Amino acid sequence: MAALVAKTEQAALDLPPPYSLVTLREAGDAFAHACGIAEGMGAGTLVWVRRFDLIEFAVVLEPDEALASARRAFFCGMGALADAIAAHCLPETEIVFEWPDTVRLNGARIGGARLGWPPRCADKETPGWLVFGAMLTAASMSGLEPGLRPAFTSLEEEGFDGSQGPALIESFARYLMRAFDTWSVQGFGPVADRYLAQLEIRKAGERRGLDENGDLLIRRYGREDVERRALVPALRKAAWLDRASGMPKT
């Protein structure tokens, strides 16, 4: 299980004591920066990019188990992200995950999340750090009228107050702590259930579960075989991310 250790610093965000804040200017890359400083700064470091069109942040985690199973911390992050969005969006907003890392609001893609780990760490080794990063489109810069891009959306188009971006990150930080506490006290089961509750259903009657290495397992009524969807290749692909622009695909 990954965890946060106590570390405090005077910050622009109202973060609970386990966190310390690193703020980047608009051109910064929160995920890459967090991965670069993770070893030196340690767990609880939260990197935030100040910009009006994106909500972009990444947090350093401290695993205490082998990488293969520690990657399941990603699902703590996804559950915390969904809870934070729900806390600040309209009550009727539908939040759905597309396996494993894409976030959709009311059927349209808004962004996603990533997980980083030391590149030379083997699956059987305990990594020195993990980084969970998230990026959500706060306001569209396309210049198109809302509704002309039905596959994509922004928080602004979904009724989110853009000034609440920092509050969403603050909420995420608290929900993430709760998710790790749940894992520590009750085991990984409730964390998996929280994530799977938001995961899109492709076919009626399918039963989903998460393996010990984070792979998605799908069983269907009347069939004995199990479909396995690997976590690591999907995380590396980050299908929601436009790598040329460094922003969510639109």
Side-chain angles (χ1 to χ4, degrees):
M1 184 185 70
L4 300 172
V5 295
K7 192 183 211 182
T8 60
E9 175 181 307
Q10 189 68 27
L13 295 177
D14 180 17
L15 299 174
Y19 295 91
S20 62
L21 181 68
V22 175
T23 304
L24 303 181
R25 294 183 178 180
E26 186 171 327
D29 182 328
F31 181 76
H33 191 81
C35 289
I37 67 173
E39 185 173 357
M41 294 292 289
T45 302
L46 190 146
V47 180
W48 172 38
V49 179
R50 290 178 176 268
R51 53 190 301 172
F52 70 90
D53 58 333
L54 285 179
I55 294 177
E56 181 184 355
F57 61 92
V59 62
V60 179
L61 307 174
E62 183 179 85
D64 60 5
E65 57 189 87
L67 177 59
S69 57
R71 287 193 189 98
R72 293 180 297 171
F74 177 77
F75 302 110
C76 289
M78 289 295 284
L81 187 60
D83 286 340
I85 294 171
H88 294 281
C89 282
L90 298 176
E92 63 270 20
T93 301
E94 180 188 48
I95 305 168
V96 173
F97 299 146
E98 182 179 334
W99 173 259
D101 51 5
T102 299
V103 180
R104 298 204 306 257
L105 296 190
N106 296 327
R109 184 167 64 234
I110 195 165
R114 305 174 71 183
L115 187 73
W117 57 87
R120 292 191 175 91
C121 183
D123 276 3
K124 294 182 179 180
E125 299 175 344
T126 300
W129 52 268
L130 295 173
V131 167
F132 178 88
M135 189 183 296
L136 304 174
T137 304
S140 173
M141 301 297 291
S142 67
L144 299 176
E145 291 293 327
L148 295 180
R149 305 174 308 139
F152 315 102
T153 191
S154 69
L155 290 170
E156 183 180 60
E157 291 176 40
E158 302 301 329
F160 177 84
D161 183 350
S163 66
Q164 289 187 306
L168 190 150
I169 299 173
E170 293 165 1
S171 294
F172 166 85
R174 290 169 172 80
Y175 284 123
L176 185 63
M177 292 175 62
R178 187 175 71 178
F180 283 128
D181 183 65
T182 297
W183 188 353
S184 176
V185 174
Q186 302 179 42
F188 184 70
V191 174
D193 291 343
R194 174 68 189 88
Y195 173 83
L196 294 169
Q198 305 289 152
L199 186 63
E200 64 176 345
I201 297 176
R202 297 185 302 164
K203 295 182 179 179
E206 65 182 21
R207 294 177 296 150
R208 290 89 56 84
L210 295 174
D211 203 353
E212 292 184 357
N213 67 351
D215 289 356
L216 177 65
L217 304 178
I218 302 175
R219 297 174 173 84
R220 295 188 175 88
Y221 179 76
R223 297 178 57 175
E224 296 183 359
D225 60 308
V226 178
E227 177 186 350
R228 178 181 293 270
R229 304 183 70 184
L231 175 63
V232 174
L235 288 176
R236 286 176 172 156
K237 184 178 180 181
W240 59 271
L241 180 65
D242 182 344
R243 295 186 184 274
S245 67
M247 297 175 64
K249 290 180 179 177
T250 59

